[in-house]
PDB file of all heavy atoms in Angstrom:
ATOM      1  N   ASP A1237      23.331 314.495 113.569  1.00  0.00           N
ATOM      2  CA  ASP A1237      22.579 315.455 112.745  1.00  0.00           C
ATOM      3  C   ASP A1237      21.479 316.055 113.627  1.00  0.00           C
ATOM      4  O   ASP A1237      20.514 315.373 113.961  1.00  0.00           O
ATOM      5  CB  ASP A1237      21.981 314.781 111.523  1.00  0.00           C
ATOM      6  CG  ASP A1237      21.352 315.750 110.512  1.00  0.00           C
ATOM      7  OD1 ASP A1237      20.912 316.827 110.959  1.00  0.00           O
ATOM      8  OD2 ASP A1237      21.244 315.386 109.344  1.00  0.00           O
ATOM      9  N   ALA A1238      21.633 317.338 113.968  1.00  0.00           N
ATOM     10  CA  ALA A1238      20.591 318.041 114.718  1.00  0.00           C
ATOM     11  C   ALA A1238      20.156 317.323 115.990  1.00  0.00           C
ATOM     12  O   ALA A1238      18.969 317.206 116.281  1.00  0.00           O
ATOM     13  CB  ALA A1238      19.389 318.298 113.815  1.00  0.00           C
ATOM     14  N   LEU A1240      20.223 314.243 116.580  1.00  0.00           N
ATOM     15  CA  LEU A1240      19.887 312.846 116.277  1.00  0.00           C
ATOM     16  C   LEU A1240      21.018 312.244 115.465  1.00  0.00           C
ATOM     17  O   LEU A1240      22.100 312.792 115.449  1.00  0.00           O
ATOM     18  CB  LEU A1240      18.527 312.803 115.565  1.00  0.00           C
ATOM     19  CG  LEU A1240      17.341 313.331 116.331  1.00  0.00           C
ATOM     20  CD1 LEU A1240      16.085 313.400 115.483  1.00  0.00           C
ATOM     21  CD2 LEU A1240      17.066 312.538 117.602  1.00  0.00           C
ATOM     22  N   ARG A1242      21.850 310.547 111.477  1.00  0.00           N
ATOM     23  CA  ARG A1242      21.418 310.297 110.080  1.00  0.00           C
ATOM     24  C   ARG A1242      21.983 308.936 109.648  1.00  0.00           C
ATOM     25  O   ARG A1242      23.200 308.725 109.639  1.00  0.00           O
ATOM     26  CB  ARG A1242      21.915 311.380 109.180  1.00  0.00           C
ATOM     27  CG  ARG A1242      21.661 311.130 107.688  1.00  0.00           C
ATOM     28  CD  ARG A1242      20.246 311.420 107.286  1.00  0.00           C
ATOM     29  NE  ARG A1242      19.933 312.834 107.530  1.00  0.00           N
ATOM     30  CZ  ARG A1242      18.694 313.343 107.324  1.00  0.00           C
ATOM     31  NH1 ARG A1242      17.730 312.554 106.918  1.00  0.00           N
ATOM     32  NH2 ARG A1242      18.479 314.617 107.581  1.00  0.00           N
ATOM     33  N   ARG A1254      21.592 308.809 101.796  1.00  0.00           N
ATOM     34  CA  ARG A1254      21.006 309.294 103.019  1.00  0.00           C
ATOM     35  C   ARG A1254      19.727 308.616 103.379  1.00  0.00           C
ATOM     36  O   ARG A1254      18.844 308.424 102.543  1.00  0.00           O
ATOM     37  CB  ARG A1254      20.763 310.808 102.898  1.00  0.00           C
ATOM     38  CG  ARG A1254      22.010 311.687 103.045  1.00  0.00           C
ATOM     39  CD  ARG A1254      21.738 313.098 102.520  1.00  0.00           C
ATOM     40  NE  ARG A1254      20.602 313.713 103.145  1.00  0.00           N
ATOM     41  CZ  ARG A1254      20.668 314.513 104.204  1.00  0.00           C
ATOM     42  NH1 ARG A1254      21.851 314.698 104.794  1.00  0.00           N
ATOM     43  NH2 ARG A1254      19.619 315.091 104.683  1.00  0.00           N
ATOM     44  N   GLY A1255      19.668 308.198 104.625  1.00  0.00           N
ATOM     45  CA  GLY A1255      18.455 307.536 105.148  1.00  0.00           C
ATOM     46  C   GLY A1255      17.780 308.470 106.172  1.00  0.00           C
ATOM     47  O   GLY A1255      18.036 309.654 106.231  1.00  0.00           O
ATOM     48  N   PRO A1256      16.911 307.930 106.976  1.00  0.00           N
ATOM     49  CA  PRO A1256      16.176 308.720 107.946  1.00  0.00           C
ATOM     50  C   PRO A1256      17.019 309.146 109.135  1.00  0.00           C
ATOM     51  O   PRO A1256      18.094 308.620 109.369  1.00  0.00           O
ATOM     52  CB  PRO A1256      15.021 307.775 108.389  1.00  0.00           C
ATOM     53  CG  PRO A1256      15.601 306.388 108.215  1.00  0.00           C
ATOM     54  CD  PRO A1256      16.489 306.519 106.991  1.00  0.00           C
ATOM     55  N   LEU A1257      16.516 310.051 109.940  1.00  0.00           N
ATOM     56  CA  LEU A1257      17.075 310.449 111.203  1.00  0.00           C
ATOM     57  C   LEU A1257      16.563 309.524 112.257  1.00  0.00           C
ATOM     58  O   LEU A1257      15.398 309.147 112.286  1.00  0.00           O
ATOM     59  CB  LEU A1257      16.686 311.895 111.559  1.00  0.00           C
ATOM     60  CG  LEU A1257      17.400 313.004 110.809  1.00  0.00           C
ATOM     61  CD1 LEU A1257      16.756 314.345 111.125  1.00  0.00           C
ATOM     62  CD2 LEU A1257      18.876 313.039 111.170  1.00  0.00           C
ATOM     63  N   VAL A1258      17.443 309.076 113.166  1.00  0.00           N
ATOM     64  CA  VAL A1258      17.022 308.159 114.248  1.00  0.00           C
ATOM     65  C   VAL A1258      17.556 308.686 115.571  1.00  0.00           C
ATOM     66  O   VAL A1258      18.554 309.442 115.643  1.00  0.00           O
ATOM     67  CB  VAL A1258      17.567 306.747 114.020  1.00  0.00           C
ATOM     68  CG1 VAL A1258      17.009 306.175 112.712  1.00  0.00           C
ATOM     69  CG2 VAL A1258      19.114 306.702 114.052  1.00  0.00           C
ATOM     70  N   PRO A1264      10.447 306.716 117.238  1.00  0.00           N
ATOM     71  CA  PRO A1264      10.237 306.574 115.787  1.00  0.00           C
ATOM     72  C   PRO A1264      11.293 307.345 114.971  1.00  0.00           C
ATOM     73  O   PRO A1264      11.853 308.326 115.437  1.00  0.00           O
ATOM     74  CB  PRO A1264       8.841 307.209 115.562  1.00  0.00           C
ATOM     75  CG  PRO A1264       8.690 308.170 116.706  1.00  0.00           C
ATOM     76  CD  PRO A1264       9.389 307.560 117.889  1.00  0.00           C
ATOM     77  N   SER A1265      11.566 306.867 113.761  1.00  0.00           N
ATOM     78  CA  SER A1265      12.461 307.550 112.864  1.00  0.00           C
ATOM     79  C   SER A1265      11.851 308.834 112.357  1.00  0.00           C
ATOM     80  O   SER A1265      10.611 309.011 112.354  1.00  0.00           O
ATOM     81  CB  SER A1265      12.759 306.649 111.643  1.00  0.00           C
ATOM     82  OG  SER A1265      13.369 305.422 112.058  1.00  0.00           O
ATOM     83  N   ARG A1266      12.705 309.791 111.980  1.00  0.00           N
ATOM     84  CA  ARG A1266      12.231 311.086 111.473  1.00  0.00           C
ATOM     85  C   ARG A1266      12.551 311.163 109.983  1.00  0.00           C
ATOM     86  O   ARG A1266      13.591 310.702 109.530  1.00  0.00           O
ATOM     87  CB  ARG A1266      12.942 312.231 112.185  1.00  0.00           C
ATOM     88  CG  ARG A1266      13.062 312.044 113.676  1.00  0.00           C
ATOM     89  CD  ARG A1266      11.785 312.311 114.426  1.00  0.00           C
ATOM     90  NE  ARG A1266      11.978 312.041 115.863  1.00  0.00           N
ATOM     91  CZ  ARG A1266      12.424 312.871 116.744  1.00  0.00           C
ATOM     92  NH1 ARG A1266      12.780 314.087 116.356  1.00  0.00           N
ATOM     93  NH2 ARG A1266      12.494 312.585 118.034  1.00  0.00           N
ATOM     94  N   GLU A1267      11.670 311.743 109.224  1.00  0.00           N
ATOM     95  CA  GLU A1267      11.821 311.984 107.783  1.00  0.00           C
ATOM     96  C   GLU A1267      11.732 310.634 107.032  1.00  0.00           C
ATOM     97  O   GLU A1267      12.066 309.583 107.522  1.00  0.00           O
ATOM     98  CB  GLU A1267      13.160 312.653 107.427  1.00  0.00           C
ATOM     99  CG  GLU A1267      13.363 313.978 108.112  1.00  0.00           C
ATOM    100  CD  GLU A1267      14.698 314.595 107.703  1.00  0.00           C
ATOM    101  OE1 GLU A1267      15.366 314.038 106.814  1.00  0.00           O
ATOM    102  OE2 GLU A1267      15.069 315.653 108.267  1.00  0.00           O
ATOM    103  N   ALA A1268      11.255 310.779 105.779  1.00  0.00           N
ATOM    104  CA  ALA A1268      11.220 309.594 104.922  1.00  0.00           C
ATOM    105  C   ALA A1268      12.612 309.324 104.339  1.00  0.00           C
ATOM    106  O   ALA A1268      13.375 310.251 104.093  1.00  0.00           O
ATOM    107  CB  ALA A1268      10.224 309.805 103.779  1.00  0.00           C
ATOM    108  N   SER A1269      12.963 308.049 104.198  1.00  0.00           N
ATOM    109  CA  SER A1269      14.257 307.709 103.636  1.00  0.00           C
ATOM    110  C   SER A1269      14.309 308.072 102.161  1.00  0.00           C
ATOM    111  O   SER A1269      13.356 307.930 101.407  1.00  0.00           O
ATOM    112  CB  SER A1269      14.517 306.180 103.796  1.00  0.00           C
ATOM    113  OG  SER A1269      15.699 305.825 103.147  1.00  0.00           O
ATOM    114  N   LEU A1270      15.471 308.596 101.739  1.00  0.00           N
ATOM    115  CA  LEU A1270      15.653 308.957 100.312  1.00  0.00           C
ATOM    116  C   LEU A1270      16.089 307.732  99.481  1.00  0.00           C
ATOM    117  O   LEU A1270      16.107 307.771  98.275  1.00  0.00           O
ATOM    118  CB  LEU A1270      16.738 310.019 100.186  1.00  0.00           C
ATOM    119  CG  LEU A1270      16.429 311.351 100.893  1.00  0.00           C
ATOM    120  CD1 LEU A1270      17.572 312.329 100.755  1.00  0.00           C
ATOM    121  CD2 LEU A1270      15.134 311.922 100.416  1.00  0.00           C
TER     122      LEU A1270
END
Side-chain angles (χ1 to χ4, degrees):
D1237 187 336
L1240 299 172
R1242 173 79 62 183
R1254 282 163 55 93
L1257 284 170
V1258 299
S1265 300
R1266 319 283 176 86
E1267 302 181 6
S1269 176
L1270 300 179

